[in-house]
Amino acid sequence: QLQLQESGPGLVKPSETLSLTCTVSGGFISSSSFYWGWVRQPPGKGLEWIGSISYSGNTYYNPSLKSRVTVSVVPSQNLFFLKLTSVTAADTAVYYCARHPVDMAARPYGWFDTWGQGTLVTVAS
Amino acid sequence: SYVLTQPPSVSVAPGKTARITCGGNNIGIKNVHWYQQKPGQAPVLVIYYDSDRPSGIPERFSGSNSGNTASLTIIRVEAGDEADYFCQVWDSSSGHVFGTGTKVTVL
């Protein structure tokens, strides 16, 4: 059974870089059938997609965050990563990693079918 | 940017039917997906491609999509259906977009 697990610091100082790792188990990142993404949720608020990556390193990002976001992958270790630079209090959220299948045209435009449990990251000095 | 609007809350008595709407410009030409999220838990996919159910999701959950509104319908509502529900689409300009979310309360 596929499982995703987020890990990383729970506290980040303003203006610094938030870095998270997603460990995939029970399956392999190296599949052309899926993309791997990050979604966040500020406390008490809705969901916001951050960015996604394929096993081969193709990325696409939320336009509103694109200038600060990097998503990367190490298929051999079944890991993918999130970096968000110049964080502020507005970046405080539960961060989820999730898998999403590609559609019949191999485009990553679909749903998120498997999620990690999420990790709370607080931005504060 | 593309915006998906949901009612903040829906209240329903046990055994009755809950309908949650998701409004967006010409959403009927997009594929809509729905998630259920219980407190302290990650979202769970309940409907994809407008009306398909993943394995393990009860037949009580169904979806539709037309015009400017998509809907998630839950029939014979149970206490365990109490949760937040989010719709989601792909937009060519905005990427993956989630709705504002609807809290379903079972009376």
Side-chain angles (χ1 to χ4, degrees):
Chain A
Q1 178 183 354
L2 185 77
Q3 291 187 316
L4 285 71
Q5 177 70 58
E6 307 86 353
S7 59
L11 181 64
V12 180
K13 290 183 168 55
S15 80
E16 295 190 344
T17 296
L18 179 160
S19 296
L20 295 175
T21 299
C22 183
T23 301
V24 178
S25 58
F28 297 99
I29 278 185
S30 298
S31 168
S32 59
S33 298
F34 302 102
Y35 268 61
W36 306 88
W38 291 95
V39 176
R40 70 180 182 179
Q41 185 173 35
K45 297 190 178 180
L47 300 166
E48 180 180 37
W49 169 67
I50 301 170
S52 300
I53 192 166
S54 70
Y55 80 96
S56 60
N58 293 327
T59 55
Y60 65 114
Y61 299 123
N62 184 325
S64 68
L65 297 170
K66 186 174 183 177
S67 63
R68 299 195 292 130
V69 173
T70 301
V71 179
S72 57
V73 64
V74 180
S76 61
Q77 298 183 18
N78 249 18
L79 301 173
F80 65 105
F81 308 93
L82 171 68
K83 287 192 185 301
L84 181 66
T85 63
S86 304
V87 297
T88 69
D91 295 308
T92 293
V94 174
Y95 284 76
Y96 296 99
C97 57
R99 184 183 79 168
H100 52 113
V102 298
D103 64 12
M104 287 179 286
R107 301 170 302 182
Y109 298 166
W111 57 93
F112 296 85
D113 67 353
T114 307
W115 298 65
Q117 66 184 28
T119 187
L120 174 63
V121 179
T122 301
V123 179
S125 53
Chain B
S1 63
Y2 193 77
V3 176
L4 294 173
T5 302
Q6 300 180 234
S9 63
V10 167
S11 297
V12 58
K16 300 299 185 183
T17 297
R19 182 171 176 261
I20 305 160
T21 58
C22 175
N25 185 36
N26 241 356
I27 195 174
I29 64 171
K30 298 182 181 295
N31 294 313
V32 180
H33 320 296
W34 290 91
Y35 302 86
Q36 176 193 70
Q37 185 180 35
K38 296 183 179 179
Q41 297 183 20
V44 172
L45 180 72
V46 294
I47 292 288
Y48 64 102
Y49 276 155
D50 295 344
S51 59
D52 290 344
R53 276 178 291 103
S55 61
I57 301 301
E59 293 181 4
R60 300 184 297 103
F61 289 81
S62 64
S64 63
N65 183 22
S66 178
N68 292 313
T69 305
S71 297
L72 173 69
T73 301
I74 313 170
I75 64 173
R76 301 190 300 275
V77 166
E78 303 174 356
D81 299 329
E82 188 163 284
D84 293 327
Y85 291 82
F86 296 91
C87 54
Q88 177 238 323
V89 301
W90 166 265
D91 177 75
S92 58
S93 297
S94 305
H96 292 286
V97 179
F98 289 92
T100 50
T102 298
K103 180 176 181 60
V104 170
T105 299
V106 181
L107 301 172

